[in-house]
Amino acid sequence: MKRIKMPENLPRPVVLLSHRAPVAFRRSADGKRTARRGAGGLVTALTDLSTQLEDVRWVCAAGGGEDVAVAAEHPGEPVPVALTAQPRVVSRDSTEDSVVPLRFVDVPEDQHERFYGVISNPLLWFIQHGLYGANSPDLGDAEHHAFSEGYVPVNEAFADAVAEEVEAAGGSALVMLHDYHFYLVAERVRKRCPDALISQFIHIPWPGPDSWRLLPPSMRERLLHGLLGNDVVAFHTEGSARRFLLSAQELLGLRVDLDTLTVEVDGRTVRARYYPISIDVASLRELASSKAVVDRIEDLSQNLAHGECQLILRVDRTDPSKNIVRGFAAFGLMLEDHPELAGKVRFLALLQPSRLDVPEYAAYLSAIAAQVARINARYDHLDYEPIDLRLIQDLPLAVAAYSACDVLMVNAVVDGMNLVAKEAVVVNRRDAVLVLSENTGAHQELGDYAVTVYPYDIRQQADALYEALTRPREQRRANLRDAAGVIERNDIAAWFSAQLADLAR
Ligand code: GDG
């Protein structure tokens, strides 16, 4: 039985688009085809939702040769895949609940590199997270070329794939696009499929118009016009929705209404909306009670979070927006302020190496390692290693650490939402204190129950860590309970249903 009821007046099918695929096909050493679920917060959330929809198809990027081979075995139609814990291709007339037809889009490698490794990350990601300083970016021939010969044609290829899916369904569909990789898709889909209802969810922050002036008009106007091909452009926060409209007003001279959050373009009304994304609380708690997680909790309790010793945790991709280096600097400063804590508190950092083929990300990983080495070296003589840095991708370990930590540090420079904060508060068992950057989307919902940090202020973050470690037990317990209550009330299903209900209006 499918759990999500689509409002009657919404067009069908739902055509989803995301860059990452919900499944990755590969060949193992013995020549066998393997399939495993795609990683990452967005794909995990969409995977569970997509299997709950009656009539859905999902367009995504082929991640390698084996994805392309699987697609080639299904000429002219999407690949029916059962998106279970062990995903597998099924027959097209399968009636299993978890089956979602997947359309893999394969673009030439050099084009994809320009689209992904030059324009989407870092250029758009850095602009939208305010990560450029006074002397960057440099937009030379390589970047212009990457835009016109990478971002534009890749967006066209994905738009055509989406449009073909809509046309195959008779020309009417609910198209749900995801993220900053695809700002040019909606406009092209609308031209081919004027009857489609098109929405796009942007998972990262939208900055004000001045930030977009880092790009020349030829790029920024094209991106904005592309996005305005949507009927709805959605964000995690009201601030992002408003800044999107202000960008349309200042950079394109369009008429916007900040009360109704709308903009007029070419005789149409485009709505900016906000829906804070959330998590699947039940399935996370189920994972938290699995053997894999329980074993890891035991291990952490024996080695890190036992007796008098408190555990500070962070779980992040090694992304400059996550502010990992300053977070460690703040921890080092706190230890200097409070030498009595040496040996009594440890900082576990579970970091997933991210986008290492992008030079800025490789440099950031080196900066993290250097900072950790500096701080740990200071305490060598005490046989105490304050920071336990693990470059690892291990979700059960992350969930075990959520459960066993005393403080969760989320000091992002800026973050669209930050699911780590939401996940930790629903599974923690030690009355943990959330140390949360005011610039995360999550702060709108959880700020009242957290110790707020200001991401560039290392001194303030050091004091905040100390405050979190020394908070009275009753206050910690009440804050954690209230924070978990917020997430239980607004879970991932509520996030999605709110969008459908609005679209139906
Ligand atoms: C973007 C936006 C927005 C953690 N360790 C492992 C692992 N994780 C999972 C977490 C969480 C996800 O990764 C990280 O999500 P975040 O929201 O914290 O951050 P981004 O990756 O930057 O996500 C963000 C989000 O999109 C959704 O809209 O909140 O603002 O930047 O779910 O549990 N997953 C696996 N192994 C690990 O070791 N597989």
Side-chain angles (χ1 to χ4, degrees):
M1 254 283 280
K2 304 280 188 180
R3 271 186 300 169
I4 298 177
K5 265 240 142 320
M6 288 277 287
E8 281 305 320
N9 56 341
L10 278 180
R12 282 136 225 246
V14 176
V15 180
L16 292 173
L17 170 65
S18 72
H19 179 251
R20 286 227 189 160
V23 61
F25 293 102
R26 298 289 180 268
R27 281 260 167 216
S28 61
D30 58 6
K32 281 214 187 89
R33 176 173 288 162
T34 62
R36 57 184 176 81
R37 279 178 73 149
L42 162 62
V43 156
T44 305
L46 284 184
T47 300
D48 295 337
L49 290 170
S50 67
T51 60
Q52 298 305 324
L53 287 166
E54 279 302 343
D55 192 2
V56 63
R57 48 222 66 185
W58 188 334
V59 180
C60 50
E66 205 54 29
D67 290 346
V68 178
V70 173
E73 289 160 18
H74 297 77
E77 58 179 17
V79 184
V81 180
L83 294 177
T84 49
Q86 273 303 317
R88 72 209 132 77
V89 178
V90 295
S91 73
R92 68 202 301 212
D93 43 18
S94 163
T95 53
E96 280 180 63
D97 259 4
S98 53
V99 176
V100 176
L102 303 182
R103 164 89 181 243
F104 289 103
V105 179
D106 183 32
V107 293
E109 213 174 304
D110 53 343
Q111 210 177 58
H112 186 269
E113 166 55 23
R114 291 179 213 122
F115 150 81
Y116 189 78
V118 182
I119 301 298
S120 302
N121 306 303
L123 190 57
L124 294 177
W125 181 276
F126 271 46
I127 288 177
Q128 295 195 232
H129 287 87
L131 294 172
Y132 282 126
N135 290 318
S136 53
D138 287 326
L139 302 181
D141 286 348
E143 288 72 19
H144 279 275
H145 183 70
F147 191 75
S148 61
E149 305 305 321
Y151 196 81
V152 172
V154 170
N155 268 255
E156 286 172 354
F158 278 88
D160 291 344
V162 169
E164 279 162 26
E165 291 306 318
V166 176
E167 284 162 359
S172 159
L174 172 58
V175 174
M176 303 185 89
L177 312 170
H178 284 270
D179 245 349
Y180 57 99
H181 312 88
F182 297 125
Y183 288 160
L184 306 179
V185 167
E187 190 183 28
R188 190 168 166 105
V189 172
R190 172 170 301 284
K191 276 196 190 117
R192 269 179 72 167
C193 309
D195 292 336
L197 181 58
I198 313 175
S199 73
Q200 185 153 2
F201 198 97
I202 297 173
H203 292 259
I204 64 175
W206 190 274
D210 285 347
S211 301
W212 289 103
R213 291 186 200 277
L214 290 181
L215 296 180
S218 59
M219 288 188 198
R220 67 187 189 224
E221 289 177 9
R222 184 125 192 219
L223 295 173
L224 276 166
H225 274 299
L227 267 174
L228 290 167
N230 285 287
D231 294 293
V232 174
V233 184
F235 303 88
H236 292 305
T237 64
E238 182 177 7
S240 281
R242 293 171 70 86
R243 289 186 292 272
F244 171 68
L245 294 174
L246 290 172
S247 304
Q249 182 180 49
E250 280 194 29
L251 303 173
L252 299 180
L254 294 175
R255 224 183 48 211
V256 308
D257 184 331
L258 290 173
D259 293 325
T260 57
L261 293 178
T262 52
V263 49
E264 303 295 322
V265 57
D266 300 334
R268 295 186 302 116
T269 301
V270 177
R271 288 160 174 75
R273 289 290 177 266
Y274 54 99
Y275 310 98
I277 199 170
S278 193
I279 57 170
D280 185 333
V281 175
S283 76
L284 182 67
R285 286 190 171 144
E286 200 181 306
L287 175 61
S289 58
S290 68
K291 180 166 178 344
V293 172
V294 172
D295 287 351
R296 286 165 173 79
I297 294 177
E298 217 157 87
D299 187 56
L300 289 174
S301 310
Q302 271 170 22
N303 294 309
L304 286 171
H306 51 83
E308 291 292 282
C309 189
Q310 294 201 80
L311 182 65
I312 302 175
L313 171 71
R314 76 175 307 142
V315 177
D316 282 304
R317 287 182 301 102
T318 53
D319 190 299
S321 68
K322 303 293 182 182
N323 210 17
I324 298 164
V325 176
R326 278 191 205 87
F328 287 146
F331 176 61
L333 189 57
M334 185 206 67
L335 285 179
E336 281 172 33
D337 292 345
H338 302 281
E340 74 281 6
L341 288 181
K344 294 202 175 130
V345 56
R346 294 198 67 193
F347 196 146
L348 173 64
L350 301 178
L351 305 183
Q352 304 97 60
S354 179
R355 305 172 187 164
L356 292 181
D357 43 350
V358 178
E360 286 87 340
Y361 282 77
Y364 194 63
L365 183 53
S366 306
I368 291 169
Q371 177 75 297
V372 171
R374 255 194 310 273
I375 293 170
N376 282 347
R378 254 184 247 154
Y379 296 87
D380 249 3
H381 63 289
L382 296 179
D383 196 22
Y384 161 56
E385 186 184 62
I387 302 174
D388 181 346
L389 169 68
R390 303 190 197 177
L391 299 176
I392 193 170
Q393 181 145 338
D394 180 345
L395 186 59
L397 178 61
V399 175
Y402 291 159
S403 172
C405 70
D406 299 281
V407 172
L408 179 79
M409 173 77 154
V410 177
N411 64 326
V413 169
V414 54
D415 212 334
M417 174 52 63
N418 196 284
L419 293 176
V420 167
K422 292 191 164 186
E423 291 163 351
V425 299
V426 303
V427 296
N428 181 267
R429 305 246 193 97
R430 278 175 65 99
D431 301 327
V433 179
L434 179 59
V435 171
L436 186 59
S437 162
E438 70 164 347
N439 293 347
T440 59
H443 194 268
Q444 310 266 316
E445 292 164 276
L446 300 179
D448 285 350
Y449 316 110
V451 178
T452 297
V453 282
Y454 308 105
Y456 294 97
D457 190 340
I458 295 168
R459 157 50 57 205
Q460 188 266 343
Q461 286 171 68
D463 295 343
L465 281 176
Y466 186 71
E467 186 190 335
L469 288 168
T470 54
R471 251 195 188 179
R473 174 71 61 182
E474 297 76 65
Q475 189 186 353
R476 296 167 58 147
R477 188 164 297 161
N479 285 164
L480 186 68
R481 186 196 54 220
D482 293 346
V486 170
I487 310 305
E488 283 158 4
R489 284 190 294 279
N490 179 40
D491 66 358
I492 188 75
W495 172 75
F496 195 66
S497 305
Q499 292 173 68
L500 293 181
D502 252 10
L503 284 161
R505 261 179 239 135

